[in-house]
Amino acid sequence: ICIWDAETGDLYGELVGHEKWVSSVRFSKGGKHILSASEDGKVKIWSIDNETCLMTFEIHSGPVNSAEFGNDEKWVLSASDDKTIKVWDTTTGEVIQTLTGHEDVVSYAEFSRDEKYILSSSWNTTIKVWDVESGNLIRTYEGHTLAVSTARFSNDGTFIISASWDHNVRLWNFTKRLEAY
């Protein structure tokens, strides 16, 4: 992973450690850490200051497609080809939850801003919303005809937007569907 100086275009540093291609990178909210996910099945937390790997999560049995920090960096969320979503505790390195229910590759997962929900998208054409506290599946959205590459909560948490290989972008009303929950 190369870190570039945006003003000068110079290489600031390199983070070396994944054994296969890197599928996802994210800055922490404070900008001091980078989270990376890879086809090697690993998720890593890196220090930008000293270019070292601080923690490696190795529990997925397939490539990891996305990884996200929680709001306070205590949690990490990962989505994998192994059809699971995992929530990790960054203080212990332990898996807190494994969410199963997608029938194919999980392409992306993210926390809602209030960290009450997890949103996931899959190659099985579905989008799912999970309750963080219980780990229970609370909603499945269907309508795409091919793999869903990503789904994101709107900034205010009232909508979900999804993009699919079927060449469609769909907007879903999350709060209206949640009223039945």
Side-chain angles (χ1 to χ4, degrees):
I1 300 167
C2 294
I3 305 168
W4 300 91
D5 184 310
E7 290 180 13
T8 66
D10 294 335
L11 182 64
Y12 174 80
E14 290 186 61
L15 309 175
V16 179
H18 283 293
E19 299 161 12
K20 295 187 178 181
W21 60 271
V22 176
S23 54
S24 172
V25 291
R26 295 286 188 266
F27 280 107
S28 62
K29 300 263 191 255
K32 294 185 183 226
H33 300 111
I34 290 178
L35 182 66
S36 62
S38 171
E39 187 184 60
D40 64 13
K42 298 174 185 171
V43 175
K44 293 180 177 280
I45 298 175
W46 305 86
S47 168
I48 294 174
D49 291 337
N50 60 17
E51 300 174 28
T52 58
C53 181
L54 303 174
M55 186 172 276
T56 301
F57 304 105
E58 300 181 61
I59 194 88
H60 284 289
S61 62
V64 183
N65 299 308
S66 74
E68 299 282 333
F69 279 114
N71 291 334
D72 60 4
E73 297 180 41
K74 183 180 177 196
W75 292 343
V76 166
L77 179 67
S78 56
S80 173
D81 277 16
D82 67 9
K83 305 176 189 174
T84 68
I85 300 127
K86 296 193 183 283
V87 181
W88 312 75
D89 183 325
T90 60
T91 58
T92 66
E94 299 295 317
V95 174
I96 299 168
Q97 289 181 332
T98 299
L99 306 176
T100 59
H102 283 292
E103 298 168 8
D104 206 335
V105 168
V106 182
S107 51
Y108 183 78
E110 74 172 14
F111 290 107
S112 60
R113 284 190 181 249
D114 61 8
E115 291 186 337
K116 289 183 180 181
Y117 306 104
I118 292 170
L119 176 64
S120 60
S121 58
S122 174
W123 286 11
N124 74 341
T125 74
T126 64
I127 299 142
K128 295 186 182 290
V129 179
W130 313 80
D131 179 78
V132 169
E133 189 174 323
S134 68
N136 292 333
L137 175 65
I138 59 171
R139 286 284 173 263
T140 299
Y141 294 88
E142 298 177 300
H144 286 291
T145 58
L146 292 174
V148 182
S149 54
T150 192
R152 305 288 307 259
F153 283 111
S154 61
N155 287 341
D156 65 1
T158 58
F159 292 96
I160 293 168
I161 192 166
S162 59
S164 170
W165 294 3
D166 65 12
H167 305 278
N168 289 300
V169 172
R170 292 183 177 257
L171 186 65
W172 313 85
N173 187 329
F174 175 60
T175 53
K176 185 173 183 176
R177 294 285 304 237
L178 193 60
E179 290 169 5
Y181 174 62

